[in-house]
Amino acid sequence: MFFRVFLALLLSFSCVVNADSQYNYESALSLYQQQKYDVAIIHLRNVLKNNPDNLSAQILLGKILLQQQHFSQALNVFEGALTDGADVNLLSDELSYIYLLQQDETKLLQLPRYGVLSNAKRFTWLLMTSNLYQQADKHAEASQSLHDAEQLFADHTSLLNAKAGLAIKLGDYDSARHLLQRSLNQTPDNVEALLLSGHLARQQQHTEQAVKFYQRAIAIEADNPFVLRALSATWLSLAELQKAKPLLLKLQDMGLNDPYLRFSLLMVNAVQQNKPAATNFASLRDDLSAMPMEYFTAEPAQLYLRAALNYLLGATEQAIQDLEAYLKLKPSDTNAISLLAEHYLQTREQSMTLRFLERNQDYIQNSVPLLAQYVLLTIQAGKLQSAQTLLANIRSRFPTDATLAALNADLNRRLYGASHAQKELSTQQTPVSAVILLTQALLALDLADYVGASEYAGKLIALAPDNADYLNLYAGVLLQDQKLQLAAQQLQQLFQIQPTHFAGRLTLANLYLTQQQFAEAETVLTKLLDEQPQHQATTVLLAAAELQLGKKRQAEQRLTDLLNLKYYRPAVDVLLNYYEKTNAFGNARYLLQRALRQEFLAKDLLFRETGILIALKDIAQAKEKIKLIQGLPDLTSEHWLTLGKLQQQLGLQQDALQSLATAVQLAPERPHYDYEYIAMLLAYNELSLANQRLSTLKKRADNSADVDLLSAAYASARGDNVQAVALLQSSINKDPKFRRAWANLYELARQPAFNKDFVAIAQQHLALTPDDVWLRRLLAEHHINHQAFAEAKQHYRQLLADGHFAQDPWLYNNLANTLLADAPEQALTYAEQAEQLLYNNPTIQLTHAKALRALQQHDNALKVLRQAFAIDSTNAEINYLLADSLVKLDRADEARNILRNVAQTSETYRDEALTLLKTIDASTN
């Protein structure tokens, strides 16, 4: 499948179209049988160009690529054929072999899921599985696989070899020797038996004998990667670098560039440059280890040589210690700095790598990769001002480097916002490259500029049409832009190229979540988590899906378990949203305290903690948090805006206004802050100052929907609601999606005088945009405000029928309220659904109780009302209905004190409470 798009590009334009008919599967198969592989591939590419779903051609192409040792390409073709529906028995042997070579345990174990394997294919798969288990030192699992294989074909040569391999791993050399002799007696040219015989000889320190076995094997299969690995490692142990290096390079050409191979080649080069000829590795290392430090002071290259020898002989930590000592003697060696930095990143805390690069910054001034790593680690450590100074100095010397320009954009985004970062990046004189386009796309996404993000993603795809990551980025942009059908099409194209692309399937799960197909999302995410059990993003998304499916405790436990293992911010955000939604503010506060221990003084977490403290009515502590935030460095205009809104909630009027004024001062070019400042002035009835700032905006020719909204608020504050409604209509006409204007008009339309105005303009816009579900719902709630329950029911039911808000408890709650009078049974059903989606919410529990009362189920209603009372004991309606239910259950004495309290504290329910008290008194007298 990986080759579907690629194949057409690889065909030369010189091919004559009319000649395509000569290319068919039969001709390719004939060429394959003649071992004319390159020509066969040309035929197959033409076949697949015209019919990408030709499974026979795909499988034959995969076999040829495997024959030519192109393992990654062969794997993509085989997996594509499997996804297209090929019988797993046709390619299980090849896939098992590649998965074993790549040590991909997950995919190898999942292979039988694609169909029932024949006995012969299952036998091979079991042997490969046992081999992989042996490499991972899972000896019990390896033994079980061999036992299962033996039930199928006992005494098979391959089974004897596999048993011998396990015996070598377990140190049972006599059994291994006996098994291998039986195997070689059956098949003398058995490469696998020769390879294992070499392994056995090495284990018993018979190195020369091992070489002979490996050489016999490689004479039979010159490109066998397992033999190449074994023989190259043996040559290295014998210090035969000239013999080892060609084998390592051959493995590298096969695409098997794993860490062992990469470091081995690097160290071989170091040894070749510094060691005397014909010297044994171990003895040379021992000789160097015996030398005093004074020797290396004069000959530092020999210390680097000892580090290389230690690494090649498996003493990794000693090699690192040697490199550290060498760097003290040759501090300017960037090769050694790179090696140590990479090792620290893989094995130590990130802060250690940062400190290491800080100490060596004078010596990495001409190494852009090391400088970029240094800046990135500084940014990730939260030292933004230091990173800014550092990056400015570096870029003055490397002004056109794309990586540094991208880093600078990310830093500007963190410091000043995505808009500033994008503007500055567009002025850079940096050649267009993938890293720049990727950065521009991500910045556009931050700004919700989906047109720009799509454009940049398209340019990335033009650079690399078959890059699955770029295709996934484009799908993600379309998803965020709510172009769900196009996103699905893009993902389909991605999966044609790379069916098992992990990030692509993660985007598919996100698409399902957006479409409220929570069960489908759960299925995809569960499978992804099976493949990568520790993948944090998948865990969080699965928990999010489970929350929507009502599996709240399971989701909460999943997120808690993840955070107990390792701190992960997205998990904090999802769990925090869940706690806030369910009014579990105590849990939310505890979670924030844990998060702040990991992200000390993180501003967004501190802001959120302040909001939680306000919800908990811990006002004194909330004010202390505000003071703490005000004293933090690097507060941006957005921070001051958030700060002002929190101060407004705390009743700190002057402080709130000053914070908003600071936000305006820091970003005068952004009218957004002026809008918020004016809104706050109006909220505090500072009408004169608000009018002055509005006049200033109008003089700047700002005729935006926001200005109309604020002018409407000013008119309303002056008591001119007629003008306010007209201005809000003007604002909405300029921006029909301006929800704040709709919300303000909705509030004014609570007054009967503006009821028809609101309905008229809402219906007008719904006629133009019938898919605006937010507005339809707002109109339904407006109808409830005016007791127009029939109209409200119609809109709510249409929303549900179209699949919108199916997991929203408030829609069910509101719909239940519309049905209380004429259909209490249906009202109860919807109220129960609302409570299933959002439990422990007193408003929803109140609706549930009302539905029960409408059905005369006062016992059950009393239970629900007591639950609501436990959460919100000051709610007058809950108290009154609680007392009324007690009266209806002939428990009037229990109701008296409740009713007296309601009569004293609530204006709304005072008369009802007093009337009920009189009724009770009259009945008792």
Side-chain angles (χ1 to χ4, degrees):
M1 292 294 292
F2 176 80
F3 283 84
R4 287 189 175 175
V5 176
F6 225 137
L7 288 170
L9 297 176
L10 291 175
L11 292 172
S12 170
F13 286 111
S14 62
C15 292
V16 180
V17 176
N18 293 332
D20 282 353
S21 59
Q22 69 178 315
Y23 299 119
N24 51 58
Y25 173 76
E26 290 71 22
S27 65
L29 180 61
S30 175
L31 291 164
Y32 169 71
Q33 292 167 344
Q34 298 171 43
Q35 298 186 0
K36 297 179 180 179
Y37 300 133
D38 291 337
V39 183
I41 285 179
I42 294 174
H43 283 240
L44 289 169
R45 285 172 175 164
N46 277 275
V47 171
L48 290 169
K49 181 185 70 172
N50 296 320
N51 184 8
D53 295 321
N54 188 319
L55 292 176
S56 299
Q58 286 187 58
I59 293 170
L60 183 57
L61 176 61
K63 290 179 181 292
I64 295 174
L65 291 168
L66 186 60
Q67 186 86 24
Q68 295 180 321
Q69 308 292 321
H70 299 315
F71 298 111
S72 296
Q73 297 176 20
L75 176 62
N76 284 320
V77 173
F78 285 134
E79 288 184 333
L82 196 62
T83 304
D84 280 354
D87 185 347
V88 67
N89 289 284
L90 295 175
L91 33 79
S92 65
D93 288 352
E94 290 81 0
L95 281 171
S96 296
Y97 176 77
I98 297 173
Y99 292 150
L100 173 62
L101 189 61
Q102 295 185 341
Q103 299 185 3
D104 194 333
E105 181 178 322
T106 300
K107 286 187 176 180
L108 181 58
L109 293 179
Q110 290 179 346
L111 199 54
R113 296 184 182 181
Y114 289 93
V116 178
L117 294 172
S118 67
N119 284 346
K121 299 300 182 181
R122 181 170 177 78
F123 176 77
T124 302
W125 175 76
L126 285 166
L127 295 184
M128 296 290 187
T129 303
S130 173
N131 196 323
L132 191 56
Y133 279 142
Q134 290 177 39
Q135 293 182 28
D137 292 327
K138 297 180 179 179
H139 299 145
E141 292 90 338
S143 178
Q144 182 61 50
S145 293
L146 292 179
H147 174 76
D148 294 344
E150 193 169 20
Q151 308 309 307
L152 298 173
F153 299 104
D155 294 327
H156 191 283
T157 302
S158 296
L159 179 63
L160 295 173
N161 291 334
K163 286 183 173 181
L166 182 57
I168 293 170
K169 278 280 187 180
L170 296 173
D172 187 358
Y173 300 144
D174 290 337
S175 296
R177 186 179 301 105
H178 175 69
L179 289 163
L180 289 171
Q181 189 58 55
R182 287 174 59 191
S183 175
L184 288 169
N185 288 340
Q186 290 183 18
T187 312
D189 290 337
N190 182 346
V191 170
E192 191 175 7
L194 292 171
L195 178 64
L196 288 166
S197 298
H199 292 349
L200 177 60
R202 283 197 67 188
Q203 288 293 326
Q204 296 183 303
Q205 308 300 316
H206 303 316
T207 309
E208 292 183 1
Q209 187 179 358
V211 170
K212 290 178 181 178
F213 278 118
Y214 294 147
Q215 287 178 326
R216 282 178 60 188
I218 213 166
I220 299 168
E221 291 187 14
D223 291 330
N224 186 303
F226 295 103
V227 181
L228 290 170
R229 283 185 184 277
L231 184 55
S232 65
T234 308
W235 286 136
L236 287 174
S237 69
L238 295 171
E240 295 284 357
L241 301 188
Q242 295 298 336
K243 294 179 180 179
K245 190 171 182 179
L247 304 181
L248 293 172
L249 292 172
K250 197 168 189 178
L251 286 167
Q252 189 180 55
D253 290 341
M254 292 178 181
L256 300 174
N257 192 17
D258 55 22
Y260 157 76
L261 184 61
R262 181 163 47 83
F263 277 92
S264 294
L265 282 169
L266 182 62
M267 293 306 187
V268 164
N269 290 335
V271 173
Q272 283 184 319
Q273 291 170 10
N274 294 284
K275 93 171 189 61
T279 304
N280 179 273
F281 270 28
S283 61
L284 177 57
R285 193 269 304 272
D286 292 343
D287 289 343
L288 290 171
S289 296
M291 300 298 288
M293 196 61 200
E294 290 77 8
Y295 168 75
F296 297 116
T297 303
E299 296 287 343
Q302 296 302 303
L303 186 56
Y304 189 92
L305 171 61
R306 191 174 77 179
L309 292 168
N310 272 319
Y311 177 80
L312 294 175
L313 292 170
T316 305
E317 283 303 319
Q318 185 57 54
I320 295 302
Q321 292 175 23
D322 284 343
L323 280 175
E324 289 171 337
Y326 166 78
L327 208 56
K328 292 177 181 177
L329 300 173
K330 294 280 288 184
S332 60
D333 191 328
T334 54
N335 192 40
I337 294 173
S338 296
L339 281 171
L340 284 171
E342 181 172 352
H343 177 78
Y344 293 152
L345 275 176
Q346 293 174 354
T347 62
R348 309 284 203 275
E349 290 293 328
Q350 187 170 288
S351 57
M352 181 176 179
T353 311
L354 177 57
R355 289 195 299 272
F356 171 71
L357 292 173
E358 282 176 346
R359 290 197 302 271
N360 291 279
Q361 60 179 303
D362 290 342
Y363 306 109
I364 62 175
Q365 292 301 309
N366 294 315
S367 172
V368 172
L370 283 172
L371 289 169
Q373 187 179 66
Y374 180 23
V375 172
L376 179 60
L377 290 172
T378 305
I379 293 172
Q380 291 174 345
K383 302 178 180 180
L384 303 186
Q385 297 297 338
S386 299
Q388 188 177 35
T389 303
L390 181 63
L391 192 53
N393 292 334
I394 297 170
R395 296 200 69 213
S396 66
R397 293 184 294 114
F398 304 101
T400 61
D401 185 85
T403 302
L404 294 175
L407 272 175
N408 188 58
D410 182 57
L411 179 58
N412 281 326
R413 178 185 63 82
R414 294 168 187 255
L415 283 171
Y416 311 114
S419 179
H420 177 88
Q422 188 183 61
K423 188 180 298 184
E424 184 165 326
L425 184 59
S426 65
T427 65
Q428 302 298 311
Q429 297 179 352
T430 305
V432 175
S433 63
V435 69
I436 294 295
L437 289 172
L438 180 60
T439 303
Q440 289 173 318
L442 295 175
L443 288 173
L445 274 178
D446 284 343
L447 295 167
D449 175 13
Y450 303 119
V451 173
S454 297
E455 182 181 342
Y456 294 126
K459 290 179 179 178
L460 278 169
I461 294 171
L463 286 178
D466 297 316
N467 187 305
D469 293 325
Y470 298 162
L471 292 169
N472 185 52
L473 170 66
Y474 192 25
V477 172
L478 293 169
L479 177 58
Q480 290 200 42
D481 196 17
Q482 295 296 305
K483 295 179 178 177
L484 306 187
Q485 186 174 356
L486 290 175
Q489 293 172 2
Q490 189 68 23
L491 286 171
Q492 186 177 11
Q493 181 182 345
L494 185 158
F495 294 138
Q496 287 178 345
I497 294 171
Q498 196 168 334
T500 60
H501 191 260
F502 191 92
R505 287 183 289 160
L506 204 58
T507 304
L508 177 62
N510 263 311
L511 175 62
Y512 285 144
L513 288 172
T514 304
Q515 294 172 322
Q516 298 188 12
Q517 295 176 257
F518 302 117
E520 291 83 350
E522 184 186 33
T523 301
V524 173
L525 291 164
T526 301
K527 187 173 181 181
L528 289 173
L529 205 58
D530 286 342
E531 295 176 18
Q532 294 190 25
Q534 305 303 319
H535 196 268
Q536 295 168 319
T538 303
T539 303
V540 172
L541 282 177
L542 179 55
E546 289 169 339
L547 286 172
Q548 295 294 340
L549 291 168
K551 302 176 182 179
K552 296 180 173 62
R553 291 185 179 177
Q554 179 177 322
E556 182 180 3
Q557 190 62 52
R558 186 184 300 283
L559 293 169
T560 303
D561 290 344
L562 170 60
L563 289 169
N564 287 339
L565 286 173
K566 187 175 182 181
Y567 179 77
Y568 185 55
R569 180 59 176 279
V572 172
D573 293 337
V574 172
L575 193 52
L576 194 56
N577 289 338
Y578 167 65
Y579 286 149
E580 290 176 335
K581 186 177 180 181
T582 56
N583 295 329
F585 296 120
N587 290 343
R589 185 178 184 183
Y590 172 70
L591 178 59
L592 279 164
Q593 288 171 338
R594 285 185 60 190
L596 282 163
R597 284 196 289 271
Q598 297 291 330
E599 296 185 62
F600 184 61
L601 295 181
K603 298 179 183 69
D604 59 328
L605 292 178
L606 288 171
F607 281 129
R608 205 151 182 184
E609 186 183 21
T610 307
I612 294 295
L613 290 167
I614 293 171
L616 289 169
K617 297 182 170 53
D618 191 345
I619 304 303
Q621 190 64 29
K623 288 180 178 179
E624 287 300 316
K625 291 291 177 185
I626 289 289
K627 290 179 182 177
L628 173 63
I629 295 170
Q630 284 179 302
L632 294 176
D634 303 328
L635 289 176
T636 65
S637 52
E638 199 66 27
H639 290 142
W640 284 107
L641 172 62
T642 307
L643 195 60
K645 290 183 175 180
L646 288 170
Q647 289 165 330
Q648 186 178 19
Q649 291 181 54
L650 289 167
L652 304 172
Q653 177 174 337
Q654 292 306 314
D655 290 342
L657 289 171
Q658 182 58 50
S659 294
L660 267 293
T662 303
V664 172
Q665 185 179 2
L666 287 174
E669 76 285 357
R670 297 184 64 184
H672 165 68
Y673 297 112
D674 251 318
Y675 300 156
E676 295 288 353
Y677 185 31
I678 294 168
M680 187 174 287
L681 288 168
L682 290 169
Y684 285 133
N685 208 34
E686 296 280 352
L687 302 187
S688 177
L689 185 55
N691 190 37
Q692 288 176 20
R693 299 196 73 88
L694 271 172
S695 298
T696 302
L697 285 177
K698 291 173 182 177
K699 287 177 181 176
R700 295 182 201 161
D702 189 339
N703 298 314
S704 65
D706 292 271
V707 170
D708 282 345
L709 168 72
L710 293 167
S711 299
Y714 174 70
S716 181
R718 292 175 58 249
D720 191 350
N721 287 332
V722 173
Q723 185 185 10
V725 169
L727 285 164
L728 287 170
Q729 289 177 331
S730 172
S731 177
I732 288 167
N733 288 332
K734 289 176 181 177
D735 182 1
K737 297 289 187 180
F738 193 8
R739 293 187 175 181
R740 205 163 168 181
W742 278 111
N744 282 21
L745 184 59
Y746 167 84
E747 289 300 325
L748 279 176
R750 288 181 183 274
Q751 302 174 34
F754 304 118
N755 174 16
K756 292 181 179 179
D757 290 331
F758 182 85
V759 172
I761 188 171
Q763 288 179 339
Q764 176 187 344
H765 282 279
L766 279 174
L768 296 173
T769 55
D771 59 343
D772 190 340
V773 295
W774 182 89
L775 179 56
R776 185 173 299 282
R777 182 166 178 178
L778 191 69
L779 178 57
E781 292 175 12
H782 169 81
H783 284 311
I784 288 180
N785 294 340
H786 293 276
Q787 307 295 304
F789 295 131
E791 291 84 351
K793 280 185 287 188
Q794 179 183 349
H795 288 296
Y796 281 135
R797 283 176 167 158
Q798 182 174 340
L799 288 169
L800 287 175
D802 292 342
H804 302 298
F805 304 112
Q807 299 296 318
D808 190 319
W810 295 107
L811 186 139
Y812 291 106
N813 179 75
N814 294 350
L815 182 53
N817 276 309
T818 68
L819 295 164
L820 286 172
D822 56 353
E825 296 87 354
Q826 291 183 36
L828 180 59
T829 299
Y830 288 124
E832 288 173 342
Q833 282 183 269
E835 193 163 5
Q836 286 175 3
L837 290 167
L838 181 55
Y839 59 89
N840 283 348
N841 184 280
T843 303
I844 286 177
Q845 288 169 332
L846 183 59
T847 303
H848 186 189
K850 287 178 180 179
L852 291 167
R853 282 167 52 84
L855 293 167
Q856 304 300 312
Q857 297 181 26
H858 296 293
D859 274 337
N860 293 330
L862 183 62
K863 294 175 185 177
V864 176
L865 285 165
R866 288 201 183 281
Q867 293 172 3
F869 177 83
I871 300 170
D872 188 1
S873 60
T874 63
N875 186 297
E877 187 176 11
I878 291 173
N879 277 271
Y880 174 74
L881 291 181
L882 180 60
D884 187 61
S885 295
L886 286 167
V887 171
K888 286 184 169 57
L889 291 168
D890 297 325
R891 297 162 61 179
D893 288 343
E894 298 176 49
R896 288 181 190 277
N897 287 335
I898 299 174
L899 288 169
R900 288 171 185 151
N901 182 60
V902 171
Q904 291 172 2
T905 59
S906 171
E907 292 184 10
T908 305
Y909 286 91
R910 179 179 295 125
D911 292 342
E912 287 89 340
L914 291 172
T915 301
L916 189 52
L917 274 170
K918 289 178 182 177
T919 303
I920 294 171
D921 292 339
S923 63
T924 56
N925 292 332

